């Protein structure tokens, strides 16, 4: 079915009124169904987002702020979620292949309490508080949704006490 599992986007700009929630639900379901029937995308891995002009501008400004120059002067996009997931997948790789997340929870709790590792806390803050993590990103780094849920739960309990 899919030959290239990298992320793609379809952007539709229109002049008109805002969509109601019902209209958006129907529209997005139709687009996802068309992509699925054509063998282009898997519905469970497809995300639809509706933004008005103001929200789109904010999103584009945020993306622009994440572009940095590489050593050879070319633009390089820095994705905080990708960086955080890469760090966590390297640090906890032995725990991600296991369906039982108890060992991950134990190690994470221990690391949060016994370290002042800024990189760890930054990665946890990004995936637990600041950003949305999508299924393709998790798949790319071999992190299950259960593992991410465990990380988020233990981070919140350790940092916020809930």
């Amino acid at each position: 079915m899919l030959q290239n599992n990298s992320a793609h986007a379809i952007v539709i700009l229109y002049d008109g009124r805002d969509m109601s929630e019902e209209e958006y639900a129907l529209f997005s379901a139709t687009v996802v169904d068309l992509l699925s029937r054509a063998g282009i995308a898997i519905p469970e891995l497809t995300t639809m987002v509706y933004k008005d002009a103001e929200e789109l501008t904010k999103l584009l400004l945020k993306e622009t702020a994440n572009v940095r120059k590489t050593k050879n002067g070319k633009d390089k996009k820095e994705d905080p979620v990708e960086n955080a997931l890469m760090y966590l997948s390297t640090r906890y790789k032995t725990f991600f292949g296991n369906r039982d997340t108890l060992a991950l929870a134990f190690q994470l709790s221990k690391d949060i309490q016994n370290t002042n590792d800024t990189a760890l806390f930054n990665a946890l803050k990004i995936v637990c508080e600041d950003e949305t993590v999508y299924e393709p990103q998790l798949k790319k780094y071999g992190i299950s949704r259960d593992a991410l849920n465990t990380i988020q739960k233990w981070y919140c309990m350790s940092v916020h006490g809930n």
Side-chain angles (χ1 to χ4, degrees):
M1 178 182 190
L2 297 176
Q3 294 177 3
N4 180 353
N5 288 334
S6 62
H8 295 80
I10 298 172
V11 178
I12 299 171
L13 299 174
Y14 70 93
D15 288 326
R17 65 173 176 75
D18 289 342
M19 282 189 211
S20 68
E21 287 184 32
E22 295 80 19
E23 289 169 324
Y24 175 68
L26 177 62
F27 177 79
S28 60
T30 303
V31 171
V32 171
D33 184 55
L34 288 171
L35 292 172
S36 177
R37 286 182 192 214
I40 296 170
I42 299 169
E44 296 79 15
L45 300 179
T46 303
T47 302
M48 297 283 295
V49 179
Y50 176 70
K51 302 278 185 195
D52 64 16
E54 185 178 324
E55 292 172 312
L56 185 58
T57 301
K58 288 177 185 176
L59 180 65
L60 291 173
L61 289 174
K62 181 179 175 183
E63 289 298 313
T64 303
N66 286 333
V67 174
R68 298 209 178 119
K69 297 285 184 186
T70 61
K71 290 180 184 176
N72 62 7
K74 293 183 180 178
D75 285 344
K76 177 184 175 191
K77 184 176 177 291
E78 293 289 328
D79 183 343
V81 173
E82 292 282 331
N83 292 340
L85 291 174
M86 187 184 319
Y87 175 84
L88 293 170
S89 71
T90 302
R91 184 171 182 139
Y92 298 107
K93 66 183 171 191
T94 57
F95 301 103
F96 290 144
N98 188 346
R99 292 185 63 101
D100 179 13
T101 57
L102 186 59
L104 171 63
F106 178 79
Q107 185 62 48
L108 186 62
S109 178
K110 188 169 121 180
D111 289 350
I112 289 171
Q113 292 176 8
N114 298 327
T115 188
N116 289 326
D117 186 348
T118 305
L120 173 63
F121 288 108
N122 286 341
L124 292 172
K125 186 174 187 320
I126 288 167
V127 300
C128 297
E129 292 183 8
D130 294 346
E131 302 286 343
T132 301
V133 181
Y134 297 102
E135 293 300 324
Q137 293 172 308
L138 293 174
K139 186 175 180 180
K140 179 178 179 180
Y141 293 101
I143 302 172
S144 69
R145 180 56 68 179
D146 287 342
L148 180 64
N149 290 341
T150 298
I151 289 168
Q152 291 171 331
K153 177 181 174 183
W154 284 96
Y155 173 81
C156 284
M157 286 181 11
S158 298
V159 173
H160 301 293
N162 11 337

